[in-house]
Amino acid sequence: MSIESTQGSLPASGGGVTYTTVDVAYFEARGLKRYAGVASLWALGVGAVISGHFSGWNLGLGTGGWGGLFIASVIIAIMYLGLTLSIAEMSAALPHTGAAYSFARTAMGPWGGFITGLCENVEYVVTPAVVVFFIGSYLGSIFGTPPEFQPVYWVFGYIVFVGLNVVGVELSFKVTLVVTLLALACLVAFWVSALPNIDFTRWALNIGADGTELPEGGGPFLPFGFYGVLASLPFAVWLFLAIEQLPLAAEESIDPKRDLPRGIILGIATLIVSAFMILWLNSSVANGAFALGKSGEPLLDGFRAIYGDGAAKVLALIAVIGLIASFHTIIYAQGRQIYSLSRAGYFPRWMSITHGTRKTPHLAMVVGAVVALLLMLVIWFSVGAEQGASVIGGTLLNMAVFGAMLSYVMQALSYILLKKNAPQIERPYKSPFGVVGAGLTILIAVVTLFFQLSDPVYRAGVIGVAIWFALGIVYFALAGRHKLVLSPEEEFALSKGTAEYKSH
Protein backbone atom coordinates (compact mmCIF):
# COMPACT_ATOMS: atom_id res chain seq x y z
CA MET A 1 0.00 0.00 0.00
CA SER A 2 1.29 3.42 -0.85
CA ILE A 3 0.25 6.70 0.68
CA GLU A 4 -0.15 9.92 -1.25
CA SER A 5 -0.59 13.27 0.39
CA THR A 6 0.13 16.89 -0.29
CA GLN A 7 2.14 16.74 2.95
CA GLY A 8 4.59 14.34 1.35
CA SER A 9 5.03 10.59 1.22
CA LEU A 10 5.52 8.57 4.40
CA PRO A 11 5.89 4.85 5.11
CA ALA A 12 2.74 2.78 4.84
CA SER A 13 0.90 1.73 7.98
CA GLY A 14 -0.32 -1.74 8.90
CA GLY A 15 -3.75 -2.59 10.22
CA GLY A 16 -5.50 -2.63 6.85
CA VAL A 17 -5.97 1.14 6.69
CA THR A 18 -5.87 3.45 3.69
CA TYR A 19 -4.90 7.13 3.60
CA THR A 20 -6.59 9.56 1.25
CA THR A 21 -5.06 12.61 -0.35
CA VAL A 22 -6.03 16.00 1.07
CA ASP A 23 -4.90 19.50 0.17
CA VAL A 24 -3.82 22.43 2.29
CA ALA A 25 -7.40 23.72 2.43
CA TYR A 26 -8.40 20.62 4.42
CA PHE A 27 -6.27 21.67 7.39
CA GLU A 28 -7.01 25.37 6.94
CA ALA A 29 -10.68 24.53 7.53
CA ARG A 30 -9.68 22.69 10.70
CA GLY A 31 -7.36 25.20 12.34
CA LEU A 32 -7.19 25.86 16.07
CA LYS A 33 -5.98 28.97 17.91
CA ARG A 34 -3.25 28.98 20.55
CA TYR A 35 -4.09 30.73 23.79
CA ALA A 36 -3.63 28.56 26.91
CA GLY A 37 -0.79 29.04 29.37
CA VAL A 38 -0.04 27.10 32.57
CA ALA A 39 -2.88 28.72 34.57
CA SER A 40 -5.46 27.92 31.88
CA LEU A 41 -4.25 24.34 31.59
CA TRP A 42 -4.28 23.89 35.37
CA ALA A 43 -7.87 25.18 35.49
CA LEU A 44 -8.89 22.86 32.65
CA GLY A 45 -7.62 19.80 34.50
CA VAL A 46 -8.86 20.74 37.97
CA GLY A 47 -12.19 22.08 36.72
CA ALA A 48 -13.00 18.81 34.96
CA VAL A 49 -12.59 16.86 38.20
CA ILE A 50 -13.83 19.25 40.86
CA SER A 51 -17.50 18.19 40.84
CA GLY A 52 -16.33 14.82 42.15
CA HIS A 53 -15.27 16.59 45.35
CA PHE A 54 -18.82 17.89 45.77
CA SER A 55 -20.51 14.50 45.41
CA GLY A 56 -19.95 10.92 44.27
CA TRP A 57 -16.82 10.06 46.24
CA ASN A 58 -18.83 9.66 49.45
CA LEU A 59 -20.63 6.49 48.33
CA GLY A 60 -17.38 4.68 49.10
CA LEU A 61 -18.03 5.34 52.80
CA GLY A 62 -20.90 2.88 52.56
CA THR A 63 -18.73 0.15 51.04
CA GLY A 64 -15.53 0.56 53.04
CA GLY A 65 -16.16 2.88 55.97
CA TRP A 66 -13.91 5.89 56.44
CA GLY A 67 -10.71 3.85 56.72
CA GLY A 68 -11.57 1.71 53.73
CA LEU A 69 -12.26 4.73 51.54
CA PHE A 70 -9.15 6.49 52.84
CA ILE A 71 -6.86 3.59 51.87
CA ALA A 72 -8.71 3.22 48.55
CA SER A 73 -8.15 6.93 47.90
CA VAL A 74 -4.42 6.55 48.58
CA ILE A 75 -4.26 3.64 46.11
CA ILE A 76 -6.22 5.56 43.46
CA ALA A 77 -4.07 8.67 44.04
CA ILE A 78 -1.00 6.50 43.31
CA MET A 79 -2.69 5.27 40.12
CA TYR A 80 -3.43 8.82 38.98
CA LEU A 81 0.07 9.99 39.85
CA GLY A 82 1.52 7.23 37.69
CA LEU A 83 -0.98 8.04 34.93
CA THR A 84 -0.64 11.82 34.94
CA LEU A 85 3.15 11.83 35.06
CA SER A 86 3.23 9.32 32.20
CA ILE A 87 0.80 11.54 30.28
CA ALA A 88 2.91 14.59 31.09
CA GLU A 89 5.90 12.93 29.43
CA MET A 90 3.93 11.73 26.40
CA SER A 91 2.03 14.99 25.88
CA ALA A 92 5.27 17.00 25.79
CA ALA A 93 6.77 14.50 23.33
CA LEU A 94 3.59 14.24 21.21
CA PRO A 95 1.90 17.66 21.60
CA HIS A 96 -1.18 16.90 19.51
CA THR A 97 -4.88 17.39 20.21
CA GLY A 98 -5.44 13.63 19.93
CA ALA A 99 -3.91 13.02 23.39
CA ALA A 100 -4.75 9.40 24.40
CA TYR A 101 -5.57 8.39 20.83
CA SER A 102 -2.32 9.98 19.67
CA PHE A 103 -0.23 8.15 22.28
CA ALA A 104 -1.79 4.76 21.48
CA ARG A 105 -1.68 5.40 17.72
CA THR A 106 2.07 5.92 17.86
CA ALA A 107 2.68 2.96 20.17
CA MET A 108 0.13 0.40 18.92
CA GLY A 109 -0.90 1.33 15.38
CA PRO A 110 -4.22 2.58 13.97
CA TRP A 111 -6.47 0.01 15.62
CA GLY A 112 -4.86 0.57 19.03
CA GLY A 113 -5.27 4.32 18.58
CA PHE A 114 -8.89 3.99 17.52
CA ILE A 115 -9.87 1.68 20.40
CA THR A 116 -8.21 4.02 22.89
CA GLY A 117 -10.01 6.94 21.26
CA LEU A 118 -13.32 5.10 21.62
CA CYS A 119 -12.65 4.57 25.34
CA GLU A 120 -12.20 8.29 25.85
CA ASN A 121 -15.11 9.08 23.55
CA VAL A 122 -17.48 7.20 25.85
CA GLU A 123 -16.11 9.08 28.85
CA TYR A 124 -16.24 12.57 27.35
CA VAL A 125 -19.66 12.26 25.71
CA VAL A 126 -21.42 10.56 28.63
CA THR A 127 -19.80 12.37 31.60
CA PRO A 128 -21.21 15.85 30.83
CA ALA A 129 -24.65 14.23 30.42
CA VAL A 130 -24.40 12.86 33.95
CA VAL A 131 -23.13 16.19 35.29
CA VAL A 132 -25.91 18.22 33.65
CA PHE A 133 -28.39 15.71 35.09
CA PHE A 134 -27.06 16.51 38.58
CA ILE A 135 -27.18 20.23 37.79
CA GLY A 136 -30.85 19.85 36.84
CA SER A 137 -31.55 17.98 40.06
CA TYR A 138 -30.03 20.76 42.16
CA LEU A 139 -31.83 23.50 40.21
CA GLY A 140 -35.13 21.63 40.55
CA SER A 141 -34.65 21.58 44.32
CA ILE A 142 -33.71 25.27 44.43
CA PHE A 143 -36.58 26.53 42.27
CA GLY A 144 -39.16 23.93 43.22
CA THR A 145 -39.84 22.72 39.69
CA PRO A 146 -41.46 19.30 39.08
CA PRO A 147 -39.40 16.32 37.86
CA GLU A 148 -40.99 16.61 34.41
CA PHE A 149 -39.18 19.94 33.97
CA GLN A 150 -35.72 18.33 34.19
CA PRO A 151 -35.12 18.03 30.41
CA VAL A 152 -35.51 21.81 30.11
CA TYR A 153 -32.53 22.30 32.44
CA TRP A 154 -30.47 19.83 30.38
CA VAL A 155 -31.20 21.48 27.05
CA PHE A 156 -30.60 24.94 28.50
CA GLY A 157 -27.32 23.83 30.08
CA TYR A 158 -25.99 22.40 26.83
CA ILE A 159 -27.04 25.44 24.79
CA VAL A 160 -25.32 27.85 27.20
CA PHE A 161 -22.06 25.97 27.71
CA VAL A 162 -21.61 24.61 24.20
CA GLY A 163 -22.26 28.21 23.12
CA LEU A 164 -19.57 29.55 25.46
CA ASN A 165 -17.10 26.99 24.11
CA VAL A 166 -17.96 27.84 20.51
CA VAL A 167 -17.58 31.62 20.94
CA GLY A 168 -13.82 31.33 21.26
CA VAL A 169 -10.95 29.63 23.01
CA GLU A 170 -10.11 32.80 24.97
CA LEU A 171 -13.59 33.03 26.48
CA SER A 172 -13.71 29.29 27.06
CA PHE A 173 -10.50 29.29 29.07
CA LYS A 174 -11.44 32.47 30.96
CA VAL A 175 -14.75 30.91 32.01
CA THR A 176 -12.89 27.71 32.94
CA LEU A 177 -10.48 29.62 35.17
CA VAL A 178 -13.27 31.60 36.88
CA VAL A 179 -15.59 28.67 37.59
CA THR A 180 -12.69 26.48 38.75
CA LEU A 181 -11.48 29.15 41.18
CA LEU A 182 -15.06 29.65 42.44
CA ALA A 183 -15.50 25.91 42.96
CA LEU A 184 -12.21 25.68 44.85
CA ALA A 185 -13.21 28.73 46.91
CA CYS A 186 -16.41 26.90 47.92
CA LEU A 187 -14.37 23.91 49.04
CA VAL A 188 -11.90 26.07 50.97
CA ALA A 189 -14.83 27.87 52.65
CA PHE A 190 -16.13 24.49 53.79
CA TRP A 191 -12.73 23.41 55.11
CA VAL A 192 -12.37 26.62 57.11
CA SER A 193 -15.94 26.28 58.42
CA ALA A 194 -15.51 22.62 59.31
CA LEU A 195 -12.19 22.75 61.16
CA PRO A 196 -13.61 24.16 64.45
CA ASN A 197 -16.54 21.70 64.30
CA ILE A 198 -14.95 18.34 63.59
CA ASP A 199 -15.07 15.29 65.85
CA PHE A 200 -13.29 12.63 63.84
CA THR A 201 -13.74 9.67 66.18
CA ARG A 202 -17.46 10.27 66.70
CA TRP A 203 -18.50 11.09 63.14
CA ALA A 204 -15.96 9.60 60.72
CA LEU A 205 -15.84 6.32 62.64
CA ASN A 206 -19.57 5.86 63.24
CA ILE A 207 -20.02 2.70 61.14
CA GLY A 208 -19.99 -0.64 62.93
CA ALA A 209 -18.56 -3.91 61.62
CA ASP A 210 -22.11 -5.04 60.83
CA GLY A 211 -22.78 -1.87 58.82
CA THR A 212 -25.04 -0.26 61.42
CA GLU A 213 -24.71 3.30 62.67
CA LEU A 214 -22.85 3.92 65.93
CA PRO A 215 -24.45 7.08 67.39
CA GLU A 216 -21.44 7.80 69.62
CA GLY A 217 -18.84 6.81 67.05
CA GLY A 218 -15.66 5.05 68.04
CA GLY A 219 -16.12 2.31 65.45
CA PRO A 220 -13.40 0.31 63.69
CA PHE A 221 -11.08 1.97 61.19
CA LEU A 222 -11.91 -0.76 58.65
CA PRO A 223 -15.47 -1.87 59.47
CA PHE A 224 -15.64 -4.08 56.36
CA GLY A 225 -12.05 -5.25 56.39
CA PHE A 226 -9.69 -5.12 53.41
CA TYR A 227 -12.49 -6.19 51.07
CA GLY A 228 -14.11 -2.84 51.90
CA VAL A 229 -10.96 -1.11 50.66
CA LEU A 230 -11.15 -2.88 47.31
CA ALA A 231 -14.91 -2.31 46.99
CA SER A 232 -14.34 1.43 47.55
CA LEU A 233 -11.81 1.81 44.71
CA PRO A 234 -14.41 2.74 42.03
CA PHE A 235 -15.79 5.51 44.25
CA ALA A 236 -12.35 6.94 45.03
CA VAL A 237 -11.90 7.36 41.27
CA TRP A 238 -14.41 10.24 41.41
CA LEU A 239 -11.89 12.33 43.31
CA PHE A 240 -9.61 12.41 40.23
CA LEU A 241 -11.64 11.34 37.17
CA ALA A 242 -11.02 13.46 34.01
CA ILE A 243 -7.67 15.08 34.94
CA GLU A 244 -6.35 13.08 31.98
CA GLN A 245 -8.23 15.31 29.53
CA LEU A 246 -5.67 18.12 29.85
CA PRO A 247 -3.42 17.04 26.91
CA LEU A 248 -6.39 17.57 24.57
CA ALA A 249 -5.48 21.27 24.76
CA ALA A 250 -2.03 20.64 23.22
CA GLU A 251 -2.66 22.50 19.96
CA GLU A 252 -4.28 25.42 21.79
CA SER A 253 -1.42 25.74 24.26
CA ILE A 254 1.12 28.50 23.67
CA ASP A 255 4.08 26.28 24.59
CA PRO A 256 2.80 22.71 25.00
CA LYS A 257 6.19 21.07 25.48
CA ARG A 258 6.83 23.24 28.53
CA ASP A 259 3.35 24.10 29.80
CA LEU A 260 1.47 20.80 29.50
CA PRO A 261 3.66 18.94 32.04
CA ARG A 262 3.50 21.92 34.40
CA GLY A 263 -0.28 22.20 34.12
CA ILE A 264 -0.76 18.47 34.65
CA ILE A 265 1.55 18.30 37.69
CA LEU A 266 0.01 21.39 39.33
CA GLY A 267 -3.44 20.00 38.61
CA ILE A 268 -2.90 16.57 40.19
CA ALA A 269 -1.17 18.18 43.20
CA THR A 270 -4.18 20.48 43.74
CA LEU A 271 -6.61 17.58 43.45
CA ILE A 272 -4.70 15.36 45.87
CA VAL A 273 -4.76 18.08 48.55
CA SER A 274 -8.45 18.83 47.95
CA ALA A 275 -9.42 15.14 47.87
CA PHE A 276 -7.97 14.29 51.25
CA MET A 277 -9.20 17.52 52.85
CA ILE A 278 -12.78 16.81 51.78
CA LEU A 279 -12.55 13.14 52.79
CA TRP A 280 -11.30 14.09 56.25
CA LEU A 281 -13.43 17.14 57.01
CA ASN A 282 -16.72 16.27 55.29
CA SER A 283 -16.82 12.97 57.19
CA SER A 284 -15.90 14.53 60.54
CA VAL A 285 -18.86 16.87 61.08
CA ALA A 286 -22.39 16.02 62.26
CA ASN A 287 -24.16 13.18 60.36
CA GLY A 288 -20.80 11.63 59.68
CA ALA A 289 -19.69 8.74 57.50
CA PHE A 290 -22.82 6.61 57.95
CA ALA A 291 -25.20 9.27 56.59
CA LEU A 292 -22.77 10.52 53.95
CA GLY A 293 -22.40 7.00 52.55
CA LYS A 294 -25.96 7.28 51.23
CA SER A 295 -26.05 11.00 50.43
CA GLY A 296 -26.46 12.55 47.00
CA GLU A 297 -25.15 15.89 48.26
CA PRO A 298 -22.41 15.34 50.86
CA LEU A 299 -20.94 18.83 50.74
CA LEU A 300 -24.39 20.35 51.28
CA ASP A 301 -24.95 17.97 54.19
CA GLY A 302 -21.66 19.15 55.66
CA PHE A 303 -22.63 22.81 55.30
CA ARG A 304 -26.06 22.08 56.83
CA ALA A 305 -24.40 20.36 59.79
CA ILE A 306 -22.45 23.55 60.45
CA TYR A 307 -24.94 26.29 59.51
CA GLY A 308 -28.33 24.56 59.75
CA ASP A 309 -31.08 24.04 57.17
CA GLY A 310 -32.01 27.70 56.84
CA ALA A 311 -29.33 28.39 54.23
CA ALA A 312 -30.07 25.25 52.21
CA LYS A 313 -30.95 26.96 48.92
CA VAL A 314 -27.95 29.27 49.06
CA LEU A 315 -25.74 26.29 49.79
CA ALA A 316 -27.28 24.37 46.89
CA LEU A 317 -26.27 27.20 44.56
CA ILE A 318 -22.73 26.83 45.87
CA ALA A 319 -22.78 23.15 44.98
CA VAL A 320 -23.98 23.94 41.46
CA ILE A 321 -20.78 25.96 40.88
CA GLY A 322 -18.69 22.81 41.21
CA LEU A 323 -20.92 20.95 38.80
CA ILE A 324 -20.82 23.82 36.29
CA ALA A 325 -17.00 23.85 36.41
CA SER A 326 -16.85 20.19 35.41
CA PHE A 327 -19.66 20.48 32.85
CA HIS A 328 -18.00 23.38 31.05
CA THR A 329 -14.51 21.87 30.96
CA ILE A 330 -15.58 18.37 29.88
CA ILE A 331 -17.62 19.85 27.01
CA TYR A 332 -14.34 21.46 25.93
CA ALA A 333 -12.62 18.07 26.10
CA GLN A 334 -15.48 16.35 24.29
CA GLY A 335 -15.16 18.73 21.36
CA ARG A 336 -11.40 18.33 21.03
CA GLN A 337 -11.53 14.56 21.37
CA ILE A 338 -14.13 14.17 18.61
CA TYR A 339 -12.31 16.79 16.52
CA SER A 340 -8.99 14.93 16.63
CA LEU A 341 -10.46 11.55 15.64
CA SER A 342 -12.50 13.20 12.90
CA ARG A 343 -9.58 15.24 11.51
CA ALA A 344 -7.61 12.01 11.13
CA GLY A 345 -10.56 10.28 9.44
CA TYR A 346 -11.48 7.79 12.18
CA PHE A 347 -14.82 9.58 12.59
CA PRO A 348 -16.65 11.30 9.67
CA ARG A 349 -14.33 14.12 8.60
CA TRP A 350 -16.94 16.89 8.48
CA MET A 351 -17.09 16.82 12.28
CA SER A 352 -13.60 18.34 12.53
CA ILE A 353 -14.34 21.53 10.57
CA THR A 354 -13.73 24.50 12.86
CA HIS A 355 -15.59 27.80 13.02
CA GLY A 356 -14.44 30.12 10.25
CA THR A 357 -13.54 33.06 12.48
CA ARG A 358 -13.44 31.69 16.02
CA LYS A 359 -11.38 28.58 15.22
CA THR A 360 -13.25 26.34 17.64
CA PRO A 361 -14.44 22.79 16.78
CA HIS A 362 -18.10 23.79 16.92
CA LEU A 363 -19.43 20.86 14.91
CA ALA A 364 -17.66 18.32 17.12
CA MET A 365 -19.09 19.92 20.27
CA VAL A 366 -22.59 20.11 18.83
CA VAL A 367 -22.48 16.46 17.70
CA GLY A 368 -21.31 15.31 21.14
CA ALA A 369 -23.99 17.38 22.86
CA VAL A 370 -26.76 16.13 20.58
CA VAL A 371 -25.76 12.47 21.08
CA ALA A 372 -25.70 12.90 24.86
CA LEU A 373 -29.01 14.77 24.94
CA LEU A 374 -30.73 12.23 22.71
CA LEU A 375 -29.46 9.43 24.94
CA MET A 376 -30.79 11.18 28.05
CA LEU A 377 -34.16 12.04 26.50
CA VAL A 378 -34.72 8.53 25.13
CA ILE A 379 -34.02 7.05 28.56
CA TRP A 380 -36.14 9.67 30.35
CA PHE A 381 -39.23 9.36 28.20
CA SER A 382 -39.05 5.60 27.64
CA VAL A 383 -38.80 4.47 31.27
CA GLY A 384 -40.29 7.45 33.11
CA ALA A 385 -38.86 10.17 35.32
CA GLU A 386 -38.15 8.08 38.42
CA GLN A 387 -36.44 5.13 36.73
CA GLY A 388 -34.88 7.47 34.17
CA ALA A 389 -33.15 9.36 36.96
CA SER A 390 -31.71 6.11 38.26
CA VAL A 391 -30.44 5.03 34.85
CA ILE A 392 -28.91 8.41 33.97
CA GLY A 393 -27.37 8.94 37.41
CA GLY A 394 -26.23 5.32 37.68
CA THR A 395 -25.77 3.40 34.45
CA LEU A 396 -24.51 6.34 32.36
CA LEU A 397 -22.18 7.37 35.16
CA ASN A 398 -20.78 3.84 35.27
CA MET A 399 -20.33 3.83 31.49
CA ALA A 400 -18.15 6.93 31.83
CA VAL A 401 -16.03 5.40 34.59
CA PHE A 402 -15.62 2.09 32.75
CA GLY A 403 -14.55 3.82 29.55
CA ALA A 404 -12.09 5.95 31.51
CA MET A 405 -10.48 3.00 33.27
CA LEU A 406 -10.00 1.16 29.97
CA SER A 407 -8.37 4.26 28.52
CA TYR A 408 -5.99 4.43 31.51
CA VAL A 409 -4.81 0.90 30.84
CA MET A 410 -4.27 1.72 27.16
CA GLN A 411 -2.44 4.98 27.89
CA ALA A 412 -0.14 3.42 30.48
CA LEU A 413 0.57 0.54 28.09
CA SER A 414 1.33 3.10 25.36
CA TYR A 415 3.83 4.78 27.68
CA ILE A 416 5.63 1.49 28.35
CA LEU A 417 5.75 0.59 24.65
CA LEU A 418 7.02 4.04 23.67
CA LYS A 419 9.76 3.89 26.31
CA LYS A 420 10.83 0.47 25.06
CA ASN A 421 10.40 0.78 21.30
CA ALA A 422 10.78 4.48 20.55
CA PRO A 423 13.61 5.80 22.74
CA GLN A 424 14.58 8.18 19.91
CA ILE A 425 11.52 10.39 20.47
CA GLU A 426 12.49 13.71 22.09
CA ARG A 427 11.09 13.93 25.62
CA PRO A 428 11.25 17.48 27.06
CA TYR A 429 9.85 16.10 30.33
CA LYS A 430 10.38 12.65 31.84
CA SER A 431 8.22 11.01 34.51
CA PRO A 432 10.23 10.37 37.69
CA PHE A 433 8.30 7.11 38.12
CA GLY A 434 8.94 5.87 34.58
CA VAL A 435 7.76 2.40 33.59
CA VAL A 436 7.15 1.45 37.24
CA GLY A 437 4.56 4.23 37.58
CA ALA A 438 2.83 3.19 34.36
CA GLY A 439 2.86 -0.44 35.49
CA LEU A 440 1.22 0.47 38.80
CA THR A 441 -1.41 2.42 36.86
CA ILE A 442 -2.29 -0.68 34.84
CA LEU A 443 -2.38 -2.94 37.91
CA ILE A 444 -4.60 -0.63 39.97
CA ALA A 445 -6.89 0.13 37.01
CA VAL A 446 -7.42 -3.58 36.30
CA VAL A 447 -8.23 -4.31 39.97
CA THR A 448 -10.65 -1.37 40.00
CA LEU A 449 -12.31 -2.64 36.81
CA PHE A 450 -12.77 -6.06 38.45
CA PHE A 451 -14.63 -4.53 41.38
CA GLN A 452 -16.73 -2.43 39.04
CA LEU A 453 -17.76 -5.62 37.26
CA SER A 454 -18.68 -7.27 40.58
CA ASP A 455 -21.46 -4.69 41.07
CA PRO A 456 -24.68 -5.41 39.07
CA VAL A 457 -25.26 -1.66 38.62
CA TYR A 458 -21.82 -1.30 37.05
CA ARG A 459 -22.41 -4.30 34.78
CA ALA A 460 -25.33 -2.48 33.17
CA GLY A 461 -22.92 0.33 32.31
CA VAL A 462 -20.48 -2.16 30.83
CA ILE A 463 -23.18 -3.40 28.47
CA GLY A 464 -23.72 0.18 27.35
CA VAL A 465 -19.98 0.60 26.67
CA ALA A 466 -19.97 -2.68 24.71
CA ILE A 467 -22.76 -1.38 22.45
CA TRP A 468 -20.89 1.93 21.99
CA PHE A 469 -17.73 0.02 21.05
CA ALA A 470 -19.58 -2.28 18.66
CA LEU A 471 -21.10 0.65 16.76
CA GLY A 472 -17.75 2.46 16.58
CA ILE A 473 -15.78 -0.60 15.48
CA VAL A 474 -18.32 -1.53 12.80
CA TYR A 475 -18.13 2.01 11.35
CA PHE A 476 -14.33 2.03 11.41
CA ALA A 477 -14.03 -1.45 9.90
CA LEU A 478 -16.46 -0.72 7.08
CA ALA A 479 -15.69 2.92 6.31
CA GLY A 480 -13.36 4.88 8.58
CA ARG A 481 -10.21 2.80 8.06
CA HIS A 482 -10.33 3.54 4.34
CA LYS A 483 -10.56 7.31 4.82
CA LEU A 484 -7.65 8.16 7.10
CA VAL A 485 -5.80 11.45 6.68
CA LEU A 486 -2.24 12.42 7.57
CA SER A 487 -3.21 14.60 10.51
CA PRO A 488 -0.41 15.63 12.89
CA GLU A 489 -1.07 12.53 15.01
CA GLU A 490 -0.94 10.18 12.02
CA GLU A 491 2.09 11.81 10.43
CA PHE A 492 4.03 11.60 13.71
CA ALA A 493 3.04 7.96 14.20
CA LEU A 494 4.07 6.98 10.68
CA SER A 495 7.42 8.71 10.91
CA LYS A 496 8.37 7.76 14.48
CA GLY A 497 5.85 5.16 15.60
CA THR A 498 6.64 1.68 16.94
CA ALA A 499 3.72 -0.34 15.56
CA GLU A 500 4.09 0.12 11.79
CA TYR A 501 4.45 -2.56 9.18
CA LYS A 502 6.43 -2.36 5.97
CA SER A 503 4.41 -2.14 2.78
CA HIS A 504 4.37 -5.18 0.58
Side-chain angles (χ1 to χ4, degrees):
M1 177 183 68
S2 64
I3 302 171
E4 293 181 358
S5 170
T6 55
Q7 298 167 293
S9 298
L10 289 171
S13 173
V17 301
T18 306
Y19 289 83
T20 58
T21 301
V22 296
D23 56 23
V24 175
Y26 179 87
F27 292 103
E28 289 178 348
R30 290 160 175 80
L32 296 172
K33 185 176 180 180
R34 295 193 182 275
Y35 171 81
V38 174
S40 296
L41 295 169
W42 166 85
L44 182 68
V46 173
V49 181
I50 205 68
S51 65
H53 295 202
F54 284 69
S55 61
W57 65 270
N58 54 295
L59 300 178
L61 294 169
T63 57
W66 192 89
L69 182 56
F70 172 76
I71 295 175
S73 299
V74 171
I75 294 171
I76 292 298
I78 291 170
M79 180 188 78
Y80 272 95
L81 266 177
L83 175 69
T84 52
L85 292 176
S86 298
I87 288 174
E89 179 173 328
M90 290 189 292
S91 63
L94 291 77
H96 312 127
T97 297
Y101 135 67
S102 176
F103 309 150
R105 171 64 185 89
T106 304
M108 294 183 278
W111 278 95
F114 179 66
I115 296 298
T116 303
L118 269 185
C119 293
E120 280 209 326
N121 187 245
V122 172
E123 177 186 0
Y124 294 144
V125 171
V126 172
T127 299
V130 177
V131 175
V132 81
F133 166 77
F134 288 135
I135 290 174
S137 298
Y138 272 105
L139 293 178
S141 175
I142 293 168
F143 298 113
T145 53
E148 294 75 18
F149 194 77
Q150 284 298 304
V152 176
Y153 289 126
W154 307 340
V155 173
F156 180 76
Y158 268 108
I159 289 174
V160 170
F161 287 98
V162 169
L164 285 173
N165 273 286
V166 168
V167 166
V169 66
E170 298 97 332
L171 179 62
S172 180
F173 275 111
K174 286 176 182 177
V175 172
T176 296
L177 184 60
V178 170
V179 294
T180 300
L181 289 173
L182 286 173
L184 278 174
C186 293
L187 291 172
V188 172
F190 174 74
W191 304 341
V192 172
S193 302
L195 278 170
N197 297 282
I198 62 172
D199 188 337
F200 178 80
T201 302
R202 180 179 179 184
W203 296 116
L205 304 180
N206 70 342
I207 300 177
D210 58 355
T212 58
E213 183 177 12
L214 303 175
E216 300 304 318
F221 182 72
L222 294 173
F224 308 115
F226 191 68
Y227 180 85
V229 174
L230 297 174
S232 299
L233 290 173
F235 301 105
V237 167
W238 277 100
L239 293 166
F240 306 100
L241 180 72
I243 178 67
E244 72 279 0
Q245 75 169 39
L246 205 155
L248 289 165
E251 292 178 40
E252 290 165 293
S253 169
I254 295 171
D255 188 353
K257 293 187 176 184
R258 183 196 69 176
D259 292 346
L260 280 173
R262 293 181 181 181
I264 293 169
I265 293 167
L266 286 173
I268 192 63
T270 302
L271 292 168
I272 288 173
V273 171
S274 178
F276 286 100
M277 288 294 283
I278 203 69
L279 173 60
W280 168 41
L281 295 172
N282 210 165
S283 307
S284 300
V285 294
N287 297 320
F290 182 84
L292 286 186
K294 304 172 183 177
S295 173
E297 45 192 38
L299 188 70
L300 285 182
D301 288 341
F303 270 123
R304 288 189 188 111
I306 299 167
Y307 295 110
D309 291 330
K313 290 192 175 183
V314 174
L315 298 175
L317 281 171
I318 291 174
V320 170
I321 293 173
L323 294 170
I324 287 174
S326 291
F327 184 58
H328 175 71
T329 51
I330 299 177
I331 284 177
Y332 170 92
Q334 172 199 94
R336 274 61 182 178
Q337 201 269 342
I338 294 173
Y339 161 86
S340 63
L341 287 171
S342 169
R343 181 177 63 175
Y346 290 89
F347 287 172
R349 286 180 279 177
W350 59 265
M351 294 182 187
S352 58
I353 295 173
T354 52
H355 193 281
T357 56
R358 303 190 183 280
K359 297 301 179 183
T360 51
H362 60 300
L363 294 177
M365 286 187 282
V366 169
V367 168
V370 169
V371 169
L373 270 173
L374 285 176
L375 190 59
M376 296 175 76
L377 293 173
V378 168
I379 292 170
W380 187 261
F381 289 111
S382 62
V383 303
E386 184 175 346
Q387 191 177 351
S390 174
V391 173
I392 294 170
T395 303
L396 290 189
L397 183 151
N398 297 332
M399 284 177 63
V401 174
F402 191 74
M405 300 307 291
L406 288 175
S407 81
Y408 298 168
V409 172
M410 296 294 282
Q411 289 180 79
L413 181 59
S414 298
Y415 177 86
I416 294 171
L417 291 173
L418 289 172
K419 292 289 279 189
K420 177 183 177 182
N421 299 327
Q424 78 282 2
I425 294 176
E426 179 188 359
R427 291 170 167 83
Y429 170 82
K430 292 185 179 181
S431 166
F433 298 149
V435 171
V436 173
L440 281 173
T441 296
I442 294 173
L443 175 62
I444 296 170
V446 168
V447 172
T448 304
L449 280 170
F450 174 80
F451 278 90
Q452 287 178 314
L453 291 171
S454 68
D455 186 332
V457 177
Y458 273 96
R459 284 200 292 271
V462 172
I463 293 172
V465 172
I467 294 171
W468 197 291
F469 272 37
L471 293 173
I473 289 171
V474 167
Y475 170 79
F476 184 62
L478 295 179
R481 68 188 180 93
H482 300 301
K483 299 180 179 180
L484 296 191
V485 173
L486 288 181
S487 67
E489 294 91 346
E490 295 296 310
E491 188 172 5
F492 185 93
L494 287 167
S495 61
K496 298 184 179 179
T498 65
E500 310 306 335
Y501 300 90
K502 293 182 179 180
S503 58
H504 300 289

